[in-house]
Every structure is written in structure tokens, then in C-alpha cells.
Amino acid sequence: MTLDKPYVSGHFTPVTDEVTGRDLKVRGTLPPELNGRYFRNGHNPKPGITPTHWFRGEGMIHGVRLTDGRAEWYRNRWVRTPFLDGVPFTGTELDVSAAATNIIFHGGRYLALQEANLPWEVGADLDTIGVYDFGGKLTSAMTAHPKEDPQTGELHFFSYSPFPPHLTHYVADASGDIVRSQVVDGAGPSLMHDFAITREHVVFIDSPVVFDHAEHSGIPYRWHDDVPLRIGVMPRAGGRTSWFEVADQAALLHVAGAHTDTRGRIVLEAPRFDRSAWESSWKWWVGAPGYGTSPDAGSTLHRWTVDPATGKVTTEPLNDLVTEFPSINDARTGSAHRYSYAIAFPGAGLSGYHTVKFDSLTGKEKLLAHGEGRMPGEAVFAPAAGGTAEDDGYLLTIVSDFKADASELLVLDAGDLSTVAAVELPRRVPAGIHGHWIPDSELPA
């Protein structure tokens, strides 16, 4: 393998095999209520393969099973799709997927997701089961960032395409059956990676990063100065989508959360890329000359407030730290949240990688430095037993220690970011993308 691209070197250096480790060493004390599985997906190209873009590496899921205060096992497995066997992705075969972006649990199924393709189902031990199309009801791709309503159990997701129809919205009920789908009018051929829901609305993001044949990295999208950022607002029950243009051009990859305030305005929080931050980050993602030292070259947390009554959108910077991979307590999905968590990348006065907690009420942040040569992943929230406050819980993140050639699963107190426990993993885990905590209480009887 040619390790001359940033996404297959350093913290992102792929592992070459699948292993299983049992009865893992734990420093500190694992909270007894953490009974379940932490699964994290990411790109891990096979030996001998260097993809043309970070997002095109084959998918590998890393899992840790916690039970009764023990770390029972760790295992890593490639998602065994045709893409892993060398079948090229052409955009027409929906089952040819890297399946490398996210993994969720819904309707009794673990689904590995990549937004240009159908989901791939894996088992509780990460063995691949096969492509999944919701019983034939899903005939297009599925976003890697679906939103599960914590009150109804509904799963909202979408399919986007460079070709009409550009955007389709889906709803699956708590058992995993698709009960509604609708083409969303007015959407453009943009790279729509994430979206949001509120209690009343579905919120779409149409960015200036649009389909472009001239982009040859394997991900055919580029920034266009003549395309504005637009926010689409659709009623949760379906119907017409209203599109609101944002005066300040920007792109969004991941959403922290959204809600509808008491005045009927839609409030959205997310890291914001301006053109410079996007194009500099893209250089890292494709390994172009002049790429920086980390995957994120400047996105910062912002808030957008959409007023349907006036048609105006206001943009407000919330912090100047370079952050991405935001998360919240999933129980707040669709409702107002006070706290969000993210990876803070080097820059804006920081050296090294940090886990950061934002307080949207006070505007303050709390930082946890991970030390030289150590990179954390996305912080996944797990609720504490009997918790009442929004941040009563734990953050789970795999930290890659490249110098020590080792990794550990950290369990942090979501209140003050102190370390509750650290599970020593039997190998270095490459830096990855997204994951979820799946408690045993969510599993079918």
C-alpha cells in the first residue's frame, strides 16, 4: 500500500486484518449501567489499495461489548460488500457500497451506511448479513445520517442524487417499516450529507458544494460561488418544502441539532465551512498538494435561525474553535439542546486534538486535551442510570495513540469530561467516522 495520502497514514493508517480480543483490561471503573455495544464505522482500505478520496475506502466496523462492569470483547470486521471484493462503484448498482460512514440500530437491525448506496446489515458480532432495502420499499440510496425520534421511535432519512429527483424523504416506523416517502421539490444537486428534524419540521441543507463532472477525485462535487446556502423546511407530516436562502454563503457537513422555538422559528446548529475552510479540507480528503496536518481546516460552530414569517435567516457564530463531528444527547433530537460535543482540531490557538463540550446557554466551552500523538473520535452520548439533567451521562470515544501503536475506548463523564474508565483495546484502531452506543435495553426480547 502506498502511504502517501493523509487518509491512509498517521492516525488513519489502515489495519490489515480482523481480530477478536476478550476480557479486555479496564482502568478505572465501568459504570454498571453501560450494558451494550459501542460500534464505530470508518474507512479502512484493504492492503494494496489507496483510494482516490478519503470517503472511498472500504468500510470496517470496530466494536466493544460492555456488560456488568466488564469489557467482554473487542472485534473488528470489514463490511463484506461487492465493493470490498473489488466491484467498482458506478452509481447505478445500489448494493455496491463501501458501507463505511456510520452504523445505526433500528427496527432490530444493525445497518452500516454510506449515503450513495443501500444499507448493509450486520449482526451483533459484526458479521455481514447482506444488503437491506426495507423489504423492497427502498429503491434509492439512504443517507448515512438518519434521525430517530426519541418520542415516537420513527426513523427519518433521505436519499439525494445529482439527477432528478434530487431529494426524497422517507419515514420508517419504530419496527423498521417504511410508512411514508415523498419527493422534496426545490432541492438542487448538492452534496447533502446530513439534515435535521424538529418536533414539527424536517430541515434540509442545500449547499454550494454541488455535482460537478470536472471533479475527478471519485466524489464528483465542487464548491460553486454562484450557488447560495439554502435551508429547506418541510412539515414533519409531509407537504410543501419552503426554501430559505442564507445571505452568508457556507457549507455544512454535520448537524449538531435543531428545534422549533416558541416563536415558530427553526433553530439549527452545526459546524460551518466557508469556501477557504472547505477547499483546504478537501485537499486533505483527496491528498492534493498543499494539504494540511488534519482533516479539518477551519469549520466553526454556528447557529442559523429561520423565521418563516419573514423569510429571513440569521447566522450567528458560537465559537471560534475548529470543530467537527458534533453530537448531542440523542434524547434531545428534535428538541432544544443546551450541550453539544465535538472533536476540536489543531488550530485557533489549540495544538493537538481535544474533545470539546459546548454550552449554548452560556457560550462557554470545556476542553479535554488528549495529549501528544493522540486523536479522539466522535463523542457518543450514553445516558446515566437515573439521570435527570441533559448531560447526566457518559461520552464514549476511541482514542488513537499513533506513537504507542495502541488505542483505548474512553468513557468520559459528560458533565465535566473527566475520565471514568478506559478500556485498553488489543490493537491500534485507525481514526474513523461515526458510531453509536446500542444498549441491551434496545434489543428485541
Side-chain angles (χ1 to χ4, degrees), residues 374-405:
R374 289 166 56 87
M375 181 179 179
E378 175 187 55
V380 174
F381 189 91
T388 56
E390 181 183 331
D391 58 350
D392 281 344
Y394 310 98
L395 302 178
L396 308 181
T397 180
I398 290 180
V399 175
S400 164
D401 190 328
F402 187 68
K403 288 186 176 181
D405 193 32

Side-chain angles (χ1 to χ4, degrees), residues 86-306:
V87 178
F89 172 66
T90 63
T92 58
E93 300 294 334
L94 289 175
D95 63 337
V96 180
S97 174
T101 305
N102 201 356
I103 179 165
I104 66 165
F105 182 79
H106 185 79
R109 299 177 188 272
Y110 302 90
L111 300 177
L113 305 175
Q114 182 120 346
E115 64 205 57
N117 319 92
L118 289 170
W120 273 75
E121 185 179 359
V122 301
D125 292 336
L126 297 182
D127 296 323
T128 301
I129 295 174
V131 70
Y132 183 66
D133 63 2
F134 290 83
K137 292 185 177 181
L138 182 61
T139 57
S140 58
M142 178 178 177
T143 176
H145 289 288
K147 308 299 178 188
E148 184 173 287
D149 187 299
Q151 298 182 19
T152 67
E154 287 182 338
L155 189 73
H156 289 254
F157 59 96
F158 66 88
S159 171
Y160 79 93
S161 171
F163 310 108
H166 294 304
L167 183 62
T168 305
H169 173 250
Y170 294 87
V171 180
D173 63 19
S175 65
D177 293 325
I178 291 179
V179 295
R180 190 169 71 251
S181 65
Q182 175 185 335
V183 171
V184 179
D185 293 328
S190 67
L191 195 160
M192 193 177 295
H193 186 68
D194 201 355
F195 77 130
I197 60 173
T198 75
R199 301 306 315 155
E200 299 82 11
H201 306 99
V202 183
V203 184
F204 301 108
I205 300 156
D206 208 25
S207 82
V209 181
V210 299
F211 180 70
D212 191 329
H213 284 291
E215 176 60 48
H216 300 298
S217 67
I219 308 294
Y221 290 84
R222 279 189 182 180
W223 186 287
H224 282 239
D225 284 333
D226 58 342
V227 178
L229 171 65
R230 297 187 304 148
I231 297 175
V233 179
M234 184 182 82
R236 277 276 293 265
R240 187 178 69 88
T241 298
S242 300
W243 291 95
F244 300 88
E245 187 169 317
V246 181
D248 182 29
Q249 192 188 39
L252 283 65
L253 260 188
H254 299 110
V255 169
H259 70 278
T260 307
D261 69 12
T262 57
R263 295 169 55 184
R265 301 178 305 175
I266 294 86
V267 182
L268 173 74
E269 291 185 9
R272 171 193 175 277
F273 290 85
D274 61 16
R275 177 174 180 167
S276 175
W278 180 270
E279 293 188 340
S280 296
S281 299
W282 189 272
K283 284 184 180 180
W284 191 100
W285 303 343
V286 301
Y291 64 80
T293 58
S294 74
D296 192 316
S299 65
T300 56
L301 186 64
H302 279 62
R303 177 186 294 137
W304 292 263
T305 302
V306 180

Side-chain angles (χ1 to χ4, degrees), residues 405-437:
D405 193 32
S407 288
E408 56 190 13
L409 172 65
L410 287 187
V411 180
L412 306 175
D413 186 313
D416 61 10
L417 301 188
S418 61
T419 300
V420 177
V423 179
E424 298 182 9
L425 304 181
R427 69 163 342 135
R428 180 189 58 83
V429 175
I433 311 293
H434 303 289
H436 276 84
W437 167 247

